[in-house]
Each structure stands twice: as C-alpha cells, then as structure tokens.
Amino acid sequence: QRLLEIKEHMGDLPGTVESQESEVASLEVENQQKQVRLSEIEKSIRHHEAEIDDFTTKLEKYKEQLFLVKSNKEYDAISQEIDHMRTTISESESIQIAFEEEKSEWEENIKLNTNKIASITESLTSNRSELDAAMAETTHEQEELEFNRKTLNKDIDPSYLNQYEILFNARNVGMVSII
C-alpha cells in the first residue's frame, strides 16, 4: 500500500520528464538535419552567385564584341549569345531567389525549434528538480519496502502471487484469498 502511495506522490512526473527529454532530443535531431539542408542551400546560393558573375562577365565581353563585328552573321551570332546569356542569368537569378526564400524558411524553422527547445528545457529542469525532490524523500523508504516485499513474497505460494498480480494489473487492486 505504501509503495502505491509513494508512486502516487511522484505523480506523472517520471512520464512527463521522459516525454520532455525525448521531445528535446527529437527537436535537436530535427535542427541538425535542418542545419545540413541549410548548408546545402548556402552552397547552392554561392554556386549560383559565381555563375551569375561569370555569365555577367561573358555578357559584357559579348557586348564589347558587338562593336567589333564586320558582318551581319557575326552580329547575329553575338546577339544570339547575348540573348542566351541574359536568359541564363535570369534563370540563375530566379533559382538563387528561390534558394534565398527556402533558406529564410529553414532559418525561421530552426529558430522556432530552438525557442521550443529552450522552453521545454526550462520546464524539464523544473520537473526534474520536483521529481528529484520527491524521489529524495521516498527513495530509502521505497527500497526498504521493496526489500521487505521480496522477502515476504518468498514465503507465499507462487500461485497466489500470480492471482494477485493478475488482479492487481487488471484493476490496480489485488486481493487473493490466502486460506
């Protein structure tokens, strides 16, 4: 009976602490995965920035060549290359903007998770200290009662103990006729 009182005294703190710990762990893993994706996005952004710079340089060179052409064929070819470079630059800029938006979303998600982790950790610290205090009050008594229970259980017929355990697990109350 006293063992049940001790468990009731702790309440749902052990379960709460365990669920908060697992939630913090899963959020941290999620943040790590998001950081990896964020690194990939930043790498892609740098790649497209370099690509845009490279294409812009080529575009300027083609524009300079326009003034040096001697035939209509050369002019048409360079004009076509200039149009192609402008299209490519535009596409790269669009991709870069999409990556920037995605990066912003990931950073916001990471920030939200970090705030959630901080909040849960604060609550977890409080719950742990409550649980530790509750356990400190009863640990010695609980160990003593468990030891006495095991000692007494040795003297009881196992079939009665099995009946008691079945009833106890089903109804949280166990009664068995010992006579």
Side-chain angles (χ1 to χ4, degrees), residues 76-162:
D76 289 342
I78 292 175
S79 292
Q80 210 172 17
E81 280 300 315
I82 289 173
D83 289 342
H84 175 69
M85 280 297 127
R86 285 184 179 151
T87 304
T88 307
I89 289 171
S90 177
E91 289 171 358
S92 287
E93 286 173 341
S94 296
I95 292 170
Q96 184 180 7
I97 289 170
F99 277 130
E100 290 287 349
E101 289 171 358
E102 187 179 355
K103 176 184 173 185
S104 179
E105 289 174 22
W106 284 104
E107 287 173 337
E108 185 64 30
N109 285 337
I110 290 170
K111 185 178 177 182
L112 289 173
N113 278 357
T114 302
N115 290 340
K116 224 186 253 187
I117 288 170
S119 171
I120 293 170
T121 301
E122 185 178 318
S123 176
L124 178 61
T125 302
S126 169
N127 287 339
R128 266 195 197 136
S129 61
E130 281 183 50
L131 180 61
D132 290 345
M135 287 178 68
E137 295 173 11
T138 59
T139 301
H140 180 67
E141 183 181 5
Q142 185 176 1
E143 288 171 356
E144 194 174 298
L145 288 169
E146 290 286 346
F147 177 76
N148 289 341
R149 182 179 189 191
K150 287 179 184 176
T151 305
L152 291 173
N153 284 348
K154 290 179 186 175
D155 298 336
I156 300 175
D157 184 8
S159 66
Y160 294 133
L161 277 177
N162 286 338

